Amino acid sequence: MTGTITEVLGRIPADRLALVDPDRGALTFGELLVGAEHIAGQLATLGLSRGATAATVLPNGPAAAQAYLGILAVGRAAPINPKLTPRELLEQLRGVDAHVLVTTPE
């Protein structure tokens, strides 16, 4: 199987359940794909491209999955644990040399 991650996801029936998070709900593969493509488009608009890295500081769940897959469609992903201390977060961010940070308002 070849192609980008969004092309591969597009081959799976859209109504098939992709993931379930008891606290944040469920996503079908179609919803996962739409969210990933939306994120990929936003990041491409910001200039993220092959070879560029986007760091994520997101809690595990459907939104994190969409962000991660969307990032992989246009660049490299560097997930960072949101439970780190501020100092640890800064160290991680410096270490991955991210071009973009994807996170929540919190």
Side-chain angles (χ1 to χ4, degrees), residues 2-47:
T2 61
T4 67
I5 193 73
T6 53
E7 289 170 344
V8 171
L9 286 175
R11 296 179 188 140
I12 300 169
D15 61 347
R16 184 178 291 171
L17 192 60
L19 57 95
V20 176
D21 181 315
D23 298 323
R24 295 179 185 90
L27 286 179
T28 64
F29 277 98
E31 293 165 329
L32 184 60
L33 178 61
V34 166
E37 288 177 333
H38 177 74
I39 298 271
Q42 288 181 321
L43 292 171
T45 299
L46 291 173

Side-chain angles (χ1 to χ4, degrees), residues 74-91:
V74 294
R76 295 185 307 216
I80 297 174
N81 184 346
K83 295 183 181 182
L84 296 176
T85 66
R87 183 176 181 191
E88 292 169 328
L89 280 170
L90 284 173
E91 289 174 12

